[in-house]
Amino acid sequence: MLPPTVPLIWKRSTRATRITLRIEPVRGEVIITVPERISRDRALAFVHQQTEWITNALAALPEKQALADGSEVMIEGKSIPILHEPTARRGCWLDAEGLHVSGEASHTERRVRDFLQAMAKERLTQTLQTHSAKMDLHPARLDLRDVRTRWGSCTRQGRIMLSWRLLMAPTEIRDYVVIHELAHLKHFNHGPDFWALVDRFIPQGRTGRLAAERWLRENSTVLLRAA
């Protein structure tokens, strides 16, 4: 039996053919997707049968780090210490020592997150422009969001969405996601021509692309639970 403190989120789906479970990494919720034809009682019985898997999956989540003095935050693949500067009046600034945050300690978390999101907008926009020029593929618009299921997406109208948390990943991982989404402007699928285009612009080609995908699989939860 699951403890009552474990949050269960139920989702009905007309497309699902079976009950599926996944763990939402930020809030530690158990997402249960249930086909329309399956009753809630049957789905609940299935969930209880998976108690051991759910318990282990929740226990395996990385510990969430508070954005406070003495903790660290990831920027471009490097762990950067957060340094509270209560008497300073400079907002946030980054140097060789770490990420300095002025003002009251109660504002540190918000100021760090604001700083990271502003830096993400600058760096990701620059990365998109660089690869857009190299690939001669030009999006209609770039949106940065705090999403939990995908690092990037591209619409048929040419709008690209990127997670601002890509700022935390090494630059070669950020490059891969941007190149991937730009390639969708020419091939709106994941067919052979799409992957050939991606591999053409990724350093080390297919090997580099597979390494980037592996890094994202292994580190996504850590990035989602940071900041």
Side-chain angles (χ1 to χ4, degrees), residues 13 15-21 32-35 37-38 46:
S13 171
R15 294 185 296 175
T17 58
R18 59 189 177 88
I19 305 169
T20 59
L21 303 177
I32 307 123
T33 302
V34 184
R37 60 183 175 79
I38 293 179
F46 174 82

Side-chain angles (χ1 to χ4, degrees), residues 193-208:
D193 290 341
F194 168 82
W195 290 119
L197 180 60
V198 172
D199 292 347
R200 177 182 165 193
F201 288 95
I202 294 287
Q204 298 182 302
R206 182 174 184 271
T207 300

Side-chain angles (χ1 to χ4, degrees), residues 92 108-120 164:
C92 293
T108 298
E109 180 174 345
R110 175 182 57 79
R111 288 183 172 178
V112 169
R113 187 174 287 106
D114 289 348
F115 177 87
L116 294 175
Q117 291 181 354
M119 177 178 282
W164 73 263

Side-chain angles (χ1 to χ4, degrees), residues 13 24 60-63 73 77 121 123 143 147 160 178 187 189 193 200 204-205 225:
S13 171
E24 195 286 315
L61 288 175
E63 183 178 351
V73 66
K121 182 176 182 179
R123 301 286 173 89
D143 290 326
V147 292
I160 285 178
V178 169
H187 302 290
N189 54 55
D193 290 341
R200 177 182 165 193
Q204 298 182 302
R225 288 180 67 82

Side-chain angles (χ1 to χ4, degrees), residues 127-128 131-132 135 137 150-155 160-162 166 172-191 193-202 209-210 212-213 216:
T127 300
L128 184 72
H131 291 297
S132 178
M135 300 173 72
L137 294 169
R150 58 177 64 184
W151 294 105
S153 64
C154 178
T155 70
I160 285 178
M161 183 283 297
L162 298 173
L166 283 169
E172 63 269 23
I173 307 303
R174 183 169 79 207
D175 287 342
Y176 162 66
V177 174
V178 169
I179 291 169
H180 182 117
E181 299 310 331
L182 282 169
H184 278 310
L185 295 174
K186 187 169 185 178
H187 302 290
F188 201 72
N189 54 55
H190 287 105
D193 290 341
F194 168 82
W195 290 119
L197 180 60
V198 172
D199 292 347
R200 177 182 165 193
F201 288 95
I202 294 287
R209 184 244 300 176
L210 293 178
E213 291 174 346
L216 285 170

